[in-house]
Amino acid sequence: MYVYAAESEPSKGKMIVPRNFLCFSIFAVLLSSRCVSSVKDGSVSLSEDNWDQILVGEWMVEFYAPWCPACKALEPVWESFALRQGHLGISVGKVDVTNSPGLSGRFMVTALPTIYHAKDGIFRQYKSPRDKESLVAFVMDKKWAQLEPISSWKSPNSMQMSVISYFFKLSQILRGMHNKLMEDYGLPTWGSYLIFSIATIILGAVLGLLIVCLIDLIYPPKPISFSDKKKQKDGSGGFMQEKSPGDEELVKNVKDDLVDEDASGSDGQEEQQDDDKKSTSNSPNVRKRKPRKAD
């Protein structure tokens, strides 16, 4: 990189910098300063690959779409606000939901544009006016502290919101497949829907079978003993469970009580008949009938 040219005295040397190298160095310095200023002054483009950097420090993040008219109207205001991020001590970012559908699901973005404030992993949704002065005052006066933060179970870095983000990615993939079937293969809309319906039914059946097998593997059914299987048939052809010894003893006692009542009832009837006979024989008004001879 350096060239030493010898002079008249061999012990002395002079360092000569090539002109091309000097020009290249100046160009590199200017380019690097340009890049640094653009990163520092402009908003950071966030995606599903680098979104986790907003979990550290203070951020203001906008979710937008190129086709959204309100997002287009906010774009110059947002870029002007991003120029103040160095003075405000924050970072400003933006997310294109068409390129990062998983982030729209992770943050549950249902309207565009949507602005979030993040402070060390704690998120709050900005719902104040969308002019530059309101945005600057929101950060400088710490008005975000007056807002209730998003609950932990709806936090973008939670496990359940990560699962929801995958569903949003899947919906974007299915939408791309739908458009491809219609544009490339010329299928009508109902034909594409029919294909998706059949695929959904087949996939649901396979998943249901896998879930049942998994449940049987984790919680296997209890084995049935031989005594539980033993049953008695009744007259109608059905089956009755085997009677326990206590039930048999109860039935026997009931039968004994019934026999005693019948016996006592018959004895009482015989005694009543004897008394009636005695009373009729002792009565004077009773006429005795003579026996008649058979003809």
Side-chain angles (χ1 to χ4, degrees):
M1 295 177 63
Y2 301 99
V3 178
Y4 291 89
E7 293 184 350
S8 59
E9 297 180 4
S11 61
K12 294 182 180 181
K14 185 177 180 180
M15 184 178 67
I16 300 176
V17 179
R19 181 178 299 178
N20 294 335
F21 177 78
L22 182 61
C23 296
F24 177 78
S25 300
I26 295 173
F27 177 77
V29 171
L30 292 176
L31 182 61
S32 61
S33 62
R34 177 66 178 176
C35 294
V36 171
S37 63
S38 63
V39 173
K40 182 178 180 181
D41 296 336
S43 57
V44 181
S45 180
L46 299 173
S47 63
E48 297 174 1
D49 298 328
N50 62 347
W51 79 272
D52 54 349
Q53 59 182 311
I54 68 178
L55 299 176
V56 179
E58 187 174 358
W59 284 77
M60 290 286 288
V61 182
E62 176 204 5
F63 289 83
Y64 74 99
W67 48 263
C68 175
C71 300
K72 293 179 180 180
L74 181 62
E75 184 176 0
V77 177
W78 190 257
E79 291 300 328
S80 178
F81 171 66
L83 296 175
R84 298 287 305 273
Q85 61 181 328
H87 301 285
L88 297 175
I90 65 171
S91 299
V92 179
K94 58 183 180 180
V95 178
D96 186 357
V97 296
T98 59
N99 296 329
S100 302
L103 287 182
S104 62
R106 187 181 292 273
F107 285 83
M108 290 301 294
V109 177
T110 57
L112 295 175
T114 298
I115 300 174
Y116 276 95
H117 174 271
K119 176 69 174 177
D120 296 329
I122 299 176
F123 298 88
R124 295 173 174 86
Q125 187 174 357
Y126 177 84
K127 296 182 179 179
S128 301
R130 297 170 181 171
D131 55 273
K132 180 181 176 181
E133 291 74 15
S134 300
L135 291 169
V136 173
F138 181 80
V139 177
M140 291 189 64
D141 300 339
K142 295 184 178 181
K143 294 183 179 180
W144 50 265
Q146 303 174 4
L147 300 178
E148 185 178 358
I150 297 176
S151 58
S152 58
W153 68 275
K154 291 179 64 177
S155 179
N157 55 349
S158 62
M159 181 62 68
Q160 54 270 19
M161 299 308 295
S162 300
V163 175
I164 293 177
S165 68
Y166 285 107
F167 280 105
F168 272 71
K169 290 180 183 179
L170 180 61
S171 66
Q172 187 71 11
I173 294 173
L174 294 177
R175 182 179 180 182
M177 294 174 61
H178 172 70
N179 294 333
K180 188 174 183 179
L181 289 174
M182 294 180 60
E183 296 174 0
D184 297 346
Y185 297 97
L187 289 178
T189 304
W190 64 268
S192 177
Y193 289 159
L194 180 62
I195 293 175
F196 282 113
S197 301
I198 296 174
T200 302
I201 294 173
I202 295 175
L203 182 61
V206 173
L207 289 178
L209 180 61
L210 292 177
I211 291 173
V212 171
C213 294
L214 183 62
I215 293 175
D216 290 340
L217 181 63
I218 297 176
Y219 301 102
K222 296 181 180 180
I224 302 176
S225 60
F226 179 76
S227 59
D228 295 336
K229 293 182 178 179
K230 189 176 180 181
K231 296 179 180 179
Q232 293 180 351
K233 279 189 176 182
D234 57 1
S236 60
F239 290 90
M240 297 178 60
Q241 294 183 355
E242 185 180 0
K243 296 181 179 179
S244 61
D247 296 338
E248 293 180 353
E249 183 177 358
L250 179 61
V251 173
K252 184 177 181 180
N253 293 333
V254 172
K255 288 182 178 180
D256 293 341
D257 294 338
L258 293 176
V259 171
D260 294 339
E261 290 178 359
D262 294 340
S264 62
S266 60
D267 294 341
Q269 291 177 358
E270 292 177 357
E271 292 178 357
Q272 184 68 25
Q273 291 177 359
D274 295 338
D275 294 338
D276 293 341
K277 290 180 180 181
K278 290 181 181 180
S279 61
T280 53
S281 60
N282 296 329
S283 177
N285 297 326
V286 176
R287 295 175 62 182
K288 293 183 178 180
R289 185 179 178 180
K290 295 181 179 180
R292 297 176 61 185
K293 293 182 179 180
D295 295 339

